[in-house]
Amino acid sequence: MKKLICSLVFILIGLFTVDRAGGLMMRWVGEHTNDVLGPKLRYLHHDIHEEVVLMGASRCHHHYLPSVLSDTLGMSVYNAGVGGSDNIFSHFIVLCHILERYTPKVICLEVMHTDYCQQEDAFTVLSYFAPLYGNSEAADSVYRLAGKYWQYQVSHLYRYNAKAASNLVGLVLNRQKDNDQGYIPLPKPNQCPQQLAVEQARHDVDSLKIEYLQRFIDLCRDRQICLVFTVSPKYTLVDADHYQVLREMAQKNQVPMLDYHTTGLYHNQPAYFKDITHLWDKGARLYSAVFASDLKHIVQEY
């Protein structure tokens, strides 16, 4: 029995040592990788200082050029969008980490139906932000909801699991060469969308997402941040009430909402789109100029 206990202790010490050494190694990789996400997480945690911060998933990441916005606004701008971040739980985590060390003047949140509707697993992509675990208690509270809190608490190596391969590749390949303050352009597609698709509205509201959307709004209000909801163009047809849930949240909290999808911006210009959901670089540049002009009026009136 004594030998068995000694063996178990030895194994546990070995696993602990491997985990902590692996965690330190992957932390070093995260600090030196030139992949898409690693440098952005570093910047959000250590260096962000811009007056205007854009947030959201891939439609934010690929649709807003900080250089174009900055020229119009006369303010510094950073695109903190994270492709695949998917819903308000991810955006809340990003906001909490930003506010741990800095308070921007303006935050523009690109909203989608996934920010309020039900999903089979709404917490899947939270692992993208696990390398920042332990730096914000408010952000870490979301991992409790997701059932990941103790896994990240116990295993340092596990925190880097989601993007380990891409971060390692980023030590060799530089995916930051076209980076414009967090914006990375989508290339011109071989074939643009040929026909407008019809997109149905979603009314299956997730009350927990609504709660966290309200928390997001409240955090911005408490810090006196000018919060703006945005919906960039899509090559799909929708009814006027498509974003009614989000619009009601905005109206209730006096948050301006700029919706370019419902109004059909660029529906007559399929050549601006990479697919029905995303603009490629040409469309993004033109859209950023339109958005910057509208945002300037909101900021001046705030």
Side-chain angles (χ1 to χ4, degrees):
M1 178 62 74
K2 186 177 180 181
K3 269 179 107 175
L4 178 61
I5 293 174
C6 288
S7 296
L8 289 173
V9 170
F10 181 78
I11 290 171
L12 289 173
I13 291 174
L15 289 173
F16 178 85
T17 302
V18 169
D19 177 78
R20 291 305 188 263
L24 287 172
M25 182 191 76
M26 291 309 300
R27 180 178 178 181
W28 182 90
V29 170
E31 290 174 348
H32 294 84
T33 184
N34 283 310
D35 192 48
V36 174
L37 182 58
K40 183 162 284 190
L41 292 184
R42 292 199 303 265
Y43 196 83
L44 292 174
H45 182 50
H46 295 292
D47 301 314
I48 192 164
H49 63 276
E50 284 76 11
E51 297 165 285
V52 181
V53 177
L54 305 156
M55 295 178 58
S58 62
R59 285 168 42 74
C60 174
H61 189 190
H62 298 303
H63 286 184
Y64 299 87
L65 280 80
S67 58
V68 174
L69 272 68
S70 184
D71 286 346
T72 299
L73 298 172
M75 304 169 73
S76 55
V77 182
Y78 184 74
N79 188 327
V82 176
S85 57
D86 205 30
N87 62 47
I88 190 60
F89 298 126
S90 297
H91 310 329
F92 182 80
I93 286 176
V94 172
L95 178 65
C96 289
H97 282 291
I98 291 173
L99 296 183
E100 280 294 317
R101 61 170 301 277
Y102 177 68
T103 301
K105 294 180 179 179
V106 181
I107 287 180
C108 301
L109 178 63
E110 171 83 19
V111 289
M112 306 186 297
H113 70 271
T114 51
D115 289 312
Y116 69 85
C117 73
Q118 297 175 10
Q119 292 174 285
E120 187 172 343
D121 189 351
F123 298 113
T124 300
V125 297
L126 296 187
S127 55
Y128 288 5
F129 307 100
L132 298 178
Y133 174 88
N135 291 291
S136 167
E137 180 57 37
D140 292 350
S141 69
V142 184
Y143 293 114
R144 294 183 187 274
L145 291 173
K148 295 286 188 179
Y149 182 84
W150 289 110
Q151 296 176 42
Y152 293 140
Q153 183 82 347
V154 171
S155 175
H156 288 195
L157 184 57
Y158 184 59
R159 301 175 188 177
Y160 298 89
N161 183 57
K163 290 290 185 178
S166 59
N167 280 341
L168 287 168
V169 170
L171 294 176
V172 180
L173 300 178
N174 185 358
R175 299 185 64 189
Q176 298 294 312
K177 57 185 177 180
D178 296 321
N179 191 311
D180 176 353
Q181 287 294 94
Y183 165 83
I184 293 181
L186 288 175
K188 183 178 181 179
N190 293 326
Q191 184 174 359
C192 297
Q194 299 298 301
Q195 186 174 356
L196 279 164
V198 177
E199 187 176 344
Q200 300 298 323
R202 295 282 299 273
H203 302 291
D204 50 334
V205 175
D206 184 329
S207 59
L208 189 58
K209 285 185 177 180
I210 294 297
E211 176 186 334
Y212 269 81
L213 188 59
Q214 186 63 55
R215 289 190 185 191
F216 190 105
I217 294 169
D218 291 342
L219 277 176
C220 291
R221 180 185 294 118
D222 292 345
R223 296 292 189 97
Q224 297 183 321
I225 298 169
C226 174
L227 174 63
V228 181
F229 284 177
T230 71
V231 185
S232 53
K234 293 178 70 175
Y235 202 63
T236 61
L237 291 169
V238 293
D239 293 332
D241 63 348
H242 189 78
Y243 297 102
Q244 191 59 32
V245 173
L246 294 168
R247 190 168 285 109
E248 288 176 356
M249 285 286 292
Q251 290 174 346
K252 182 179 76 170
N253 291 279
Q254 297 181 313
V255 173
M257 182 168 175
L258 296 174
D259 175 9
Y260 301 92
H261 179 204
T262 304
T263 57
L265 183 64
Y266 300 144
H267 278 182
N268 62 339
Q269 296 289 348
Y272 294 172
F273 290 86
K274 183 179 184 351
D275 51 46
I276 64 172
T277 302
H278 298 95
L279 299 162
W280 69 280
D281 186 52
K282 178 180 180 179
R285 290 179 180 276
L286 294 169
Y287 166 63
S288 293
V290 173
F291 173 75
S293 178
D294 292 340
L295 180 61
K296 184 175 183 178
H297 294 303
I298 292 174
V299 172
Q300 288 175 337
E301 293 173 1
Y302 184 73

